[in-house]
Structure formats: C-alpha cells, structure tokens
C-alpha cells in the first residue's frame, strides 16, 4: 500500500480526491481508502501511482504549492 505523504496529499487536493487537512493517525484509513479507490478507478497499482505522484509533485515544487494554496482561498 502507498504511504500518503505531503506530496500525495497535495496532488489529491489539486485533483479533488482529498478536501481535508493532511492525514493524521485518526483519519489515515479514510485517506488511504480514498487513494485506493482512485487508484482502482484509473487502473493503476497504488504503489506505482504513489511513486509517480511523488516524483511529479516533487518536481513541480513551488508551482504545486501555489495551486494548493489557491484552492484553499
């Protein structure tokens, strides 16, 4: 299963699969469930999707942060 880090959370906010604060111990399972549903819907293994998102969000850097911030306003 994927590890839902800040990059995954930001990407999820941008594409609309997450709409709440980052995962915590109390809501991690909910986030994981949403991520797994998305992964299944697009037909990609969670671990592969995790790596792809992590890589792209890391590369996007400030651009990704700006998009996330603009959606919060």
């Amino acid at each position: 299963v994927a590890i839902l880090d800040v990059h995954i959370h930001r990407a999820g906010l941008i594409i609309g699969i997450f709409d709440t604060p980052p995962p915590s111990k109390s809501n991690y399972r909910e986030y994981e469930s949403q991520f797994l549903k998305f992964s299944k819907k697009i037909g990609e293994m969670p671990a592969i999707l995790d790596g792809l998102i992590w890589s792209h969000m890391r590369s996007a850097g400030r651009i990704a942060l700006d998009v996330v911030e603009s959606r919060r306003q």
Side-chain angles (χ1 to χ4, degrees):
V1 173
I3 296 179
L4 304 180
D5 63 10
V6 67
H7 298 293
I8 302 299
H9 180 252
R10 288 176 184 155
L13 288 172
I14 290 169
I15 64 172
I17 63 169
F18 302 138
D19 62 357
T20 57
S24 65
K25 286 183 181 181
S26 64
N27 68 357
Y28 189 87
R29 294 268 186 223
E30 178 186 336
Y31 269 88
E32 185 178 62
S33 176
Q34 290 172 307
F35 181 79
L36 293 174
K37 285 178 190 175
F38 178 71
S39 174
K40 185 175 182 177
K41 193 171 192 173
I42 66 169
E44 188 57 79
M45 292 175 39
I48 300 295
L49 184 58
D50 180 8
L52 290 170
I53 290 172
W54 183 86
S55 177
H56 286 286
M57 292 301 288
R58 187 169 174 253
S59 295
R62 187 71 227 167
I63 295 168
L65 289 174
D66 291 344
V67 171
V68 169
E69 288 301 317
S70 72
R71 297 213 174 187
R72 288 183 181 160
Q73 298 173 359

